[in-house]
Amino acid sequence: MEYLKHPHHVELVLVDALEIARLNLEFRNLDKSTDVLSFPLEMPGHTLLGSVVINIDLALQESQARAHSLLDEIALLFTHGYLHLLGYDHERDQGQQRILEQEIIAHFNLPLSLMARTELT
């Protein structure tokens, strides 16, 4: 699992739905809430890779609706955001992020991935 061997730190920030909507508008020009945002930090010589911001309101709602723990939901969201910090982009790549996300999910025995959920709706 090469992606787990990066000697970097990641900041995890839990916010409510209103705050993540504000961040989404400010940084992505999308006027809506979302589940997770990633903010890479590009400073050579620093071990902080960036920040993963999670909508705790939506994480709680999803964990209850899908009958798994809040911690598992946060782990799913963090995994998705972490891969974005590493430079993966499921909207542009050829499935690499999806493959790695599935590998991590299987390794940690987590519930259905975010991308798989999207395909079901």
Side-chain angles (χ1 to χ4, degrees):
M1 300 183 102
E2 187 63 32
Y3 47 84
L4 295 177
K5 296 178 184 174
H6 291 274
H8 294 105
H9 300 282
V10 175
E11 175 184 47
L12 173 60
V13 181
L14 304 176
V15 298
D16 64 21
L18 290 175
E19 179 62 13
I20 207 159
R22 185 191 70 73
L23 292 169
N24 207 21
L25 179 59
E26 181 178 343
F27 291 98
R28 298 180 65 221
N29 203 31
L30 294 173
D31 192 11
K32 64 179 184 173
S33 188
T34 190
D35 48 10
V36 60
L37 293 170
S38 298
F39 296 97
L41 180 64
E42 297 175 7
M43 293 179 65
H46 287 269
T47 61
L48 181 62
L49 188 60
S51 301
V52 173
V53 181
I54 292 176
N55 178 345
I56 194 67
D57 294 334
L58 187 56
L60 182 58
Q61 178 184 341
E62 285 292 322
S63 68
Q64 291 171 345
R66 296 178 183 282
H68 59 252
S69 74
L70 177 58
L71 186 58
D72 279 352
E73 186 65 24
I74 290 170
L76 284 171
L77 294 167
F78 180 81
T79 298
H80 189 84
Y82 175 70
L83 290 174
H84 279 298
L85 291 180
L86 292 177
Y88 293 95
D89 185 349
H90 56 88
E91 293 178 4
R92 296 186 183 135
D93 68 21
Q94 303 301 311
Q96 292 92 334
Q97 182 175 355
R98 180 184 178 81
I99 291 167
L100 286 175
E101 193 166 302
Q102 284 304 124
E103 208 175 294
I104 295 168
I105 286 168
H107 180 80
F108 290 104
N109 196 31
L110 295 171
L112 194 62
S113 78
L114 301 180
M115 288 184 275
R117 290 181 198 173
T118 303
E119 292 172 357
L120 294 175
T121 58

